[in-house]
Amino acid sequence: MVVASIAGSATAVGWDPATVTGSGAGSFVVALVGALAATAFGYAVLAEARQALRIEGFELTRTDLGNAAAVAVAAPVTYATSVRVGVGPVVAAALVGLCAAFLTETYDAPAYCGSFVGMATPAAGADLGSVAAAGIAAAVVFVLAKRVFNGFGGKLGTTAFVGCLSVAALGGLAPGTGTVPEPTAAAGLVVAAAVAALATFAVSVRLGYGPVVGSAVVGLVAGLACPPLLAGGDAVAAVAFCASFAGMAAPARIPGPGAMLLAGGTAGVAFVGATPYFVGFGGKLGTIAFAACLATAGVLSLGRLLAPTGSDAVTG
């Protein structure tokens, strides 16, 4: 879905491949970009596979139980704040994330993960019971995945998405549908995503507030300011929040502002392409960000492999 979204979004953001140098050449360019994105994504996943397959030494701890509880509790709290209070999913998740960060540094990340489950909306048939069930499923996934893909932005959202998919498999959720934005709006969303990722990186890394606060601040500002001030402001807030998850990536994964702009822009393109799919599912935005971070990390790794710097050549 991610590769198809990236390729399909080329047209959505105002670039029609058929008008570049003829339909054949244009299709080739789209296929090439899609293949490169898929290769980079796959390379990054394979690099993590060895750690993902390791089971020796895995044990449950008291912290794991606390993490699971934080995920499970934050999900219905966020849903109630979003739907019952009426502030909407972006603001609700951002508020839960900020509260968790200020209350406890130990459990802020799992609570933020649970808040993404709670971003599920009635558009997907979500209610408090289905969200609570998805939160429990996500809590299990959070603990099982504690040693893999650490430092990649969007991992928490992907965990939440798996929780929602688990409930959907049992008939508790059913995704709504949407439409791809018009070209001008789509291009603006991609730009907003790149800026939001960079802003999150600045708050998280440069200012030292950490990834949860960095993302939550960007999400709260976007969620409060964009809907009343901008046409299509809800979509702008959503894409900014989505890209803020990419901005949560550790510098070891996405090093520096330039790479973060690339990750944010990639998340924006994927967001545009994925608008018709899984509408109303919690964790969708984080999954998009996760894929964007993996693709960006893969591009950077392949670049170093194909064109090593002097230090890379020496160390080998």
Side-chain angles (χ1 to χ4, degrees):
M1 186 186 83
V2 173
V3 175
S5 297
I6 292 173
S9 298
T11 300
V13 296
W15 173 50
D16 184 356
T19 64
V20 179
T21 54
S23 59
S27 298
F28 173 76
V29 171
V30 171
L32 179 61
V33 171
L36 289 173
T39 300
F41 179 89
Y43 183 84
V45 170
L46 288 174
E48 292 289 306
R50 181 180 301 177
Q51 182 69 17
L53 294 174
R54 285 182 60 238
I55 59 173
E56 65 271 15
F58 184 93
E59 62 178 355
L60 292 177
T61 66
R62 187 172 299 177
T63 299
D64 291 330
L65 296 178
N67 288 340
V71 175
V73 169
V77 169
T78 304
Y79 179 83
T81 305
S82 170
V83 176
R84 302 281 176 88
V85 179
V87 300
V90 172
V91 172
L95 285 173
V96 169
L98 281 176
C99 290
F102 290 141
L103 290 174
T104 171
E105 292 184 0
T106 303
Y107 299 113
D108 59 346
Y112 206 31
C113 175
S115 79
F116 304 147
V117 177
M119 291 180 71
T121 71
D127 57 23
L128 201 58
S130 62
V131 168
I136 293 171
V140 174
V141 176
F142 184 96
V143 173
L144 293 177
K146 65 180 180 178
R147 299 195 306 184
V148 297
F149 294 107
N150 292 322
F152 282 105
K155 176 185 174 181
L156 301 181
T158 304
T159 302
F161 188 64
V162 173
C164 288
L165 285 178
S166 301
V167 173
L170 300 175
L173 291 171
T177 58
T179 57
V180 175
E182 294 297 322
T184 300
L189 292 175
V190 174
V191 172
V195 172
L198 190 60
T200 304
F201 174 81
V203 176
S204 171
V205 177
R206 296 302 170 89
L207 297 181
Y209 286 102
V212 172
V213 172
S215 170
V217 166
V218 169
L220 186 61
V221 171
L224 291 175
C226 293
L229 296 179
L230 301 174
D234 288 333
V236 177
V239 79
F241 203 32
C242 173
S244 80
F245 306 146
M248 294 175 71
R253 299 294 196 179
I254 308 293
M260 189 55 71
L261 277 173
L262 176 61
T266 302
V269 172
F271 175 93
V272 170
T275 48
Y277 311 109
F278 292 103
V279 173
F281 264 47
K284 173 186 172 180
L285 300 183
T287 304
I288 291 170
F290 185 59
C293 284
L294 285 172
T296 301
V299 167
L300 296 176
S301 296
L302 287 172
R304 288 191 294 267
L305 183 66
L306 297 174
T309 62
S311 58
D312 291 332
V314 171
T315 58

